[in-house]
Amino acid sequence: MDNILLNAHKGFGYLELILITLFIIVLLVTSLGYSGKINKLLRKVTLFTMIFFHIQLLIGIVMLVLKISSGMDMGGLMKNPALRFQFVEHPFSMLIAAVLMTIVNKKVKTNDTLTLKIFFMSVLAIALFAFAFPWAKVFGL
Ligand code: HEM
């Protein structure tokens, strides 16, 4: 069960990386555009980025609960930077990024033009994602 969840989480992780990259490109094109008008593509990309954040959140929470209920040593974990990143900083930062992306999606759906507030919330969500994504583990750096 752990392995199935971990592989699913990793697989959706790659997909989310592609979606976030698309989101950054479309966000920049829209914000640098003359009118800043929100188009269908930005709405679609934001929606799918949010959906896969929610899926990752669900799988992530189940993985965390399974780990904690299998008797994970929390004290030892906090002292170990790699474990602390994987089981505290990664889930927590990705959770905040998921909340921000949910708000951004709602605003992108209801607004006609891209406001500074939407832009900065998106940048914060992207920054948290970039911090929390386990690059070394995924790309074997
Ligand atoms: C878009 C959001 C997310 C992405 C792209 C993502 C991606 C990843 C990746 C690539 C791994 C490493 C898998 C490996 O090779 O071992 C991982 C591990 C993990 N993620 Fe996420 N994650 C996301 C959100 C979350 C959230 C919201 C939580 C929890 C609330 C979470 C909990 C975990 C846990 C507990 C592990 C470690 C699993 C283990 O080593 O057993 N993730 N995540």
Side-chain angles (χ1 to χ4, degrees), residues 112-127:
D112 291 330
T113 51
L114 196 65
T115 61
L116 265 184
K117 201 173 172 189
I118 302 174
F119 183 77
F120 283 119
M121 232 188 263
S122 306
V123 169
L124 190 56
I126 294 162

Side-chain angles (χ1 to χ4, degrees), residues 6 9-10 16 56-57 67 86 90-91 94 134 137-138:
L6 189 61
H9 195 68
K10 218 192 272 183
E16 189 69 346
Q56 287 292 69
L57 182 62
K67 284 273 174 197
Q86 195 65 66
H90 168 78
M94 286 296 195
K137 221 172 187 181
V138 172

Side-chain angles (χ1 to χ4, degrees), residues 2 5-7 9-17 20 49 52-65 67 72 83 85-88 90-98 129 132-135 137-138:
D2 277 16
L5 287 174
L6 189 61
N7 287 327
H9 195 68
K10 218 192 272 183
F12 286 132
Y14 292 128
L15 185 59
E16 189 69 346
L17 199 54
I20 283 265
T49 307
F52 283 97
F53 254 113
H54 290 181
I55 292 173
Q56 287 292 69
L57 182 62
L58 286 177
I59 299 174
I61 288 173
V62 174
M63 286 198 297
L64 266 184
V65 169
K67 284 273 174 197
M72 193 157 58
L83 286 179
F85 174 80
Q86 195 65 66
F87 294 102
V88 180
H90 168 78
F92 193 67
S93 312
M94 286 296 195
L95 172 66
I96 300 174
F129 176 87
F133 191 85
W135 303 99
K137 221 172 187 181
V138 172

Side-chain angles (χ1 to χ4, degrees), residues 66-87:
L66 287 176
K67 284 273 174 197
I68 293 169
S69 56
S70 66
M72 193 157 58
D73 166 23
M74 292 308 279
L77 177 140
M78 292 308 274
K79 288 193 198 95
N80 176 326
L83 286 179
R84 194 180 58 233
F85 174 80
Q86 195 65 66
F87 294 102

